[in-house]
Amino acid sequence: MDKVFVQGMKFYGYHGAFPEENRLGQRFYADVTLELDTRPAGKSDDLEQTVNYAKVYEAAKEVLEGEPVKLVETLTDRLAHLLLDRFSVIEACVVKVTKPDPPIPGHYDHVAVEIRRERD
């Protein structure tokens, strides 16, 4: 299967297990790898035969700047399912959501959750 990468998408959301995260918000990053057959688009040079990167960004924005949740796992799962629901050409996707500078004791650069989901 071919792969399309959309990396380093940046958002500001109000997700987290602590009240201050929900009140102050923080940055979140998303990286997606989309598995699909790119041959039809490659032959036709037609955007309708593949995934529009701008629409992938819009889907990520909808989730990561949307309704607050407690867990990065929830954000990651929601984005994966939204991509599969919204783009029929995607057969599977790998979604990684990163939360830089989490408010937990110790020195952390970031935490991240990465999942792979396939079309049923």
Side-chain angles (χ1 to χ4, degrees):
M1 193 60 50
D2 304 324
K3 295 179 181 176
V4 172
F5 300 89
V6 183
Q7 306 285 300
M9 295 179 281
K10 298 174 184 169
F11 305 97
Y12 200 87
Y14 295 85
H15 313 287
F18 301 111
E20 63 270 17
E21 294 177 288
N22 304 131
R23 186 172 41 83
L24 299 173
Q26 60 202 311
R27 295 172 294 140
F28 291 88
Y29 304 136
D31 301 303
V32 299
T33 303
L34 309 171
E35 298 178 23
L36 62 144
D37 184 356
T38 64
R39 288 176 293 187
K43 290 178 183 173
S44 67
D45 198 31
D46 180 4
L47 182 59
E48 298 299 319
Q49 299 294 313
T50 190
V51 175
N52 181 324
Y53 314 139
K55 292 186 187 260
V56 170
Y57 178 87
E58 289 172 9
K61 181 176 181 164
E62 185 177 319
V63 172
L64 278 91
E65 291 186 358
E67 177 186 350
V69 299
K70 293 178 184 173
L71 303 177
V72 176
E73 290 85 346
T74 304
L75 290 173
T76 309
D77 189 65
R78 284 185 180 180
L79 179 53
H81 285 285
L82 182 60
L83 292 170
L84 289 170
D85 289 345
R86 194 165 284 178
F87 303 100
S88 62
V89 295
I90 297 173
E91 292 300 322
C93 61
V94 175
V95 175
K96 179 180 177 182
V97 173
T98 301
K99 180 179 184 175
D101 305 314
I104 51 180
H107 298 282
Y108 296 87
D109 180 54
H110 66 272
V111 296
V113 173
E114 180 178 278
I115 63 173
R116 182 176 188 281
R117 298 291 182 263
E118 297 179 7
R119 185 170 301 289
D120 293 331

